Amino acid sequence: MKQLNADVVVIGGGTAGMSAFRNARQHTENVYLLEDHHFGTTCARVGCMPSKLMIAAAEAAHHARHTEPFGVTLDQDSIRINGEAVMARVKSERDRFVGFVLSDVEEWPAERRILGKARFIDEHTVQVDDHTQIRAERIVIATGSRPLILPQWQALGDRLIVNDDVFSWDTLPESVAVFGPGVIGLELGQALSRLGVRVEIFGMRGSLGGISDPVVLEKARDIFGQELVLHLNAETEVCLNEAGQVEVAWTQDGESGVLTADYLLAAVGRRPNVDQIGLDVLDIQTDQQGVPEADPLTMQTSIPHIFIAGDASNQIPLLHEAADQGKIAGDNAGRYPDIRPGLRRSLIGVVFTSPQIMTVGAKFAQLEQQYGEDFAQSIAVGEVSFHNQGRSRVMLVNQGHLRVYADRASGRFLGAEGIGPSAEHLAHLLAWAHQQEMTIGQMLDMPFYHPVIEEGVRTALRDVAAKLA
């Protein structure tokens, strides 16, 4: 077995791991990057980029079917969706994005990149398969996450799929049962439906798209319920029927039914990949899920020379957050023991459905939990409906609702949740204001053009300003 000594070892070659490796090398060249399967990012391979390619195809089909309100008539019989062509573009463009990532990786010294499954031997030693053992002064865990699979689904065999599998299809199936109405399930469920796949979405406790604000959530249920078959508070039993198809027996609100589908898409969440890396040999503090706890500003665990970053940290599973965490962890591992807090940006989240869902800063549920019975006395809420918003009506995308939250004592903008047109862009405006700790008055002093959807943000800010006054 090869024996190596390192200043820093990074376990995991995804977004966080590559960021950690890159930043650790600014302090020392004696850094190794370990990856058990293939280098690259979840985003490029099976996440945000291929899903957006599928969403783009779905939007093209949706727009083609809905031109008549503008006075533009198309022959609906001539609109055809070629599933093979859709998936060919998804995979081709996906491979292009992955290629860009891999070209960056290949610029790093080959001897510093090691393929194989890594496990801790002790708090300073990592073994890669049965071929390499590395003693490291500092270690960064960046092992990512994987889709959560419930035990009762295992019997479905190859009829059970996750988002990774969707992007390997050669064509589109006829029907899919989506379990999980969160970001992944809602995005893929709506896209597949618009591409002609029969889709029903199953969830529990009424949740949808990660929305915590009750007003926004109710509006989202109404909007998506007009287009999709939603079972958001259902009890289900799943099996394979005699024909080898997925059969979902469901009950909800006194109603019941049976759905037969080609596949069950598991989208109920993801779990950090920390359960098979030998944490049991370490005296490290973990949360209830067995994930090492870390200071969010330094990414340092309870073992001072071990850091954690990205999806493995169980903090915020988003690409830009993984990159930021990787930078912080890599910097601190590289210059250890000189530990410094890094930049953690304001929370910004977008669900790329139509209409889009956005979250900025503190969510409604977080503020409710923080202030408890004093919520109404401490927090002012402003809102706007996009139903009559000018530019939205012009483009016939006038659906949705935005709510903004402000501190009554200081007037500072605390956060927002919303569903509506161009929410990805509205979210960026609000996130920049949040990170600058602006007050509502300062935000209203910013320029707003006419006519644009952003004027809806101003309406919501004016509403909360009046309540602050």
Side-chain angles (χ1 to χ4, degrees):
M1 182 175 295
K2 184 185 295 185
Q3 302 286 335
L4 300 172
N5 289 294
D7 291 332
V8 179
V9 161
V10 179
I11 307 174
T15 299
M18 290 190 295
S19 179
F21 179 76
R22 186 182 299 114
N23 284 278
R25 290 185 73 217
Q26 294 181 11
H27 305 278
T28 171
E29 281 296 318
N30 193 12
V31 185
Y32 288 91
L33 180 62
L34 316 181
E35 169 57 43
D36 72 339
H37 187 39
H38 45 231
F39 293 97
T41 68
T42 296
C43 172
R45 291 185 183 278
V46 295
C48 41
M49 299 315 293
S51 67
K52 301 311 166 285
L53 286 161
M54 184 170 283
I55 289 169
E59 288 177 344
H62 183 75
H63 293 326
R65 297 191 191 101
H66 295 85
T67 60
E68 196 164 333
F70 294 98
V72 179
T73 303
L74 296 179
D75 181 0
Q76 295 297 313
D77 292 336
S78 67
I79 298 174
R80 296 283 187 271
I81 296 173
N82 184 332
E84 292 182 0
V86 168
M87 295 311 303
R89 179 174 188 262
V90 167
K91 291 192 285 188
S92 173
E93 288 295 302
R94 182 269 314 274
D95 293 344
R96 180 171 173 269
F97 289 122
V98 172
F100 292 146
V101 176
L102 293 181
S103 65
D104 290 340
V105 173
E106 289 165 0
E107 291 180 1
W108 297 331
E111 67 273 12
R112 296 290 170 180
R113 296 179 272 124
I114 302 176
L115 279 174
K117 190 172 182 60
R119 291 182 60 87
F120 282 95
I121 302 302
D122 58 48
E123 65 178 33
H124 276 287
T125 309
V126 174
Q127 182 167 318
V128 185
D129 289 339
D130 57 359
H131 55 73
T132 306
Q133 200 170 88
I134 309 176
R135 178 168 178 79
E137 296 300 317
R138 287 90 67 190
I139 298 171
V140 178
I141 302 169
T143 44
S145 64
R146 63 185 184 273
L148 182 63
I149 302 296
L150 300 184
Q152 58 265 38
W153 296 341
Q154 298 288 356
L156 299 179
D158 59 7
R159 294 293 175 171
L160 171 66
I161 59 171
V162 295
N163 55 296
D164 306 40
D165 304 311
V166 169
F167 305 123
S168 65
W169 284 341
D170 292 325
T171 190
L172 296 168
E174 292 186 5
S175 54
V176 175
V178 177
F179 273 68
V183 176
I184 295 173
L186 195 55
E187 283 186 352
L188 290 181
Q190 185 184 52
L192 290 171
S193 177
R194 289 185 168 187
L195 289 169
V197 179
R198 183 166 54 88
V199 172
E200 295 189 22
I201 299 178
F202 296 87
M204 297 178 66
R205 295 181 293 277
S207 64
L208 185 66
I211 302 168
S212 77
D213 187 302
V215 175
V216 178
L217 178 57
E218 189 60 35
K219 180 59 66 174
R221 288 173 184 156
D222 291 342
I223 292 171
F224 291 114
Q226 295 172 25
E227 179 180 356
L228 299 166
V229 180
L230 302 175
H231 310 278
L232 299 181
N233 194 24
E235 294 183 7
T236 59
E237 291 186 6
V238 177
C239 66
L240 287 178
N241 63 19
E242 293 182 355
Q245 290 182 298
V246 176
E247 197 168 86
V248 182
W250 59 269
T251 58
Q252 177 177 288
D253 301 330
E255 297 183 1
S256 62
V258 176
L259 168 68
T260 301
D262 293 328
Y263 296 101
L264 185 153
L265 171 59
V268 294
R270 299 180 68 86
R271 62 177 298 178
N273 291 326
V274 296
D275 53 326
Q276 298 177 12
I277 60 173
L279 291 182
D280 54 303
V281 305
L282 307 180
D283 183 17
I284 192 169
Q285 292 180 10
T286 61
D287 62 18
Q288 293 181 342
Q289 295 177 286
V291 179
E293 295 179 341
D295 183 325
L297 294 180
T298 65
M299 305 313 298
Q300 189 177 38
T301 70
S302 62
I303 299 177
H305 66 271
I306 296 180
F307 303 82
I308 191 166
D311 286 9
S313 72
N314 205 24
Q315 292 187 16
I316 306 174
L318 299 170
L319 178 136
H320 59 275
E321 291 285 345
D324 286 350
Q325 291 176 30
K327 180 182 188 305
I328 295 168
D331 275 339
N332 281 327
R335 61 172 167 244
Y336 184 87
D338 179 15
I339 303 299
R340 303 178 191 177
L343 172 64
R344 294 302 299 270
R345 306 169 211 259
S346 290
L347 172 67
I348 177 172
V350 178
V351 184
F352 289 87
T353 47
S354 180
Q356 295 175 340
I357 298 168
M358 55 139 283
T359 301
V360 167
K363 300 178 75 169
F364 184 90
Q366 292 172 317
L367 293 172
E368 265 198 326
Q369 183 177 17
Q370 179 180 347
Y371 289 94
E373 295 180 355
D374 296 327
F375 177 86
Q377 290 75 37
S378 304
I379 305 298
V381 181
E383 54 195 308
V384 63
S385 168
F386 288 99
H387 181 70
N388 287 317
Q389 201 274 324
R391 183 69 187 280
S392 301
R393 287 190 68 87
V394 166
M395 298 188 294
L396 289 179
V397 291
N398 51 316
Q399 290 182 303
H401 204 90
L402 171 67
R403 301 242 287 175
V404 297
Y405 320 123
D407 177 63
R408 288 189 181 275
S410 65
R412 188 162 65 89
F413 170 59
L414 299 179
E417 290 189 66
I419 176 173
S422 299
E424 60 183 295
H425 306 301
L426 307 186
H428 277 84
L429 292 179
L430 292 171
W432 288 14
H434 183 270
Q435 186 154 315
Q436 292 296 315
E437 298 185 351
M438 295 175 70
T439 66
I440 299 299
Q442 290 170 330
M443 294 168 72
L444 283 169
D445 286 342
M446 295 293 103
F448 289 85
Y449 200 75
H450 174 78
V452 293
I453 291 174
E454 284 77 0
E455 288 177 294
V457 172
R458 183 175 61 185
T459 301
L461 293 175
R462 285 174 171 171
D463 185 40
V464 76
K467 295 171 182 176
L468 289 171

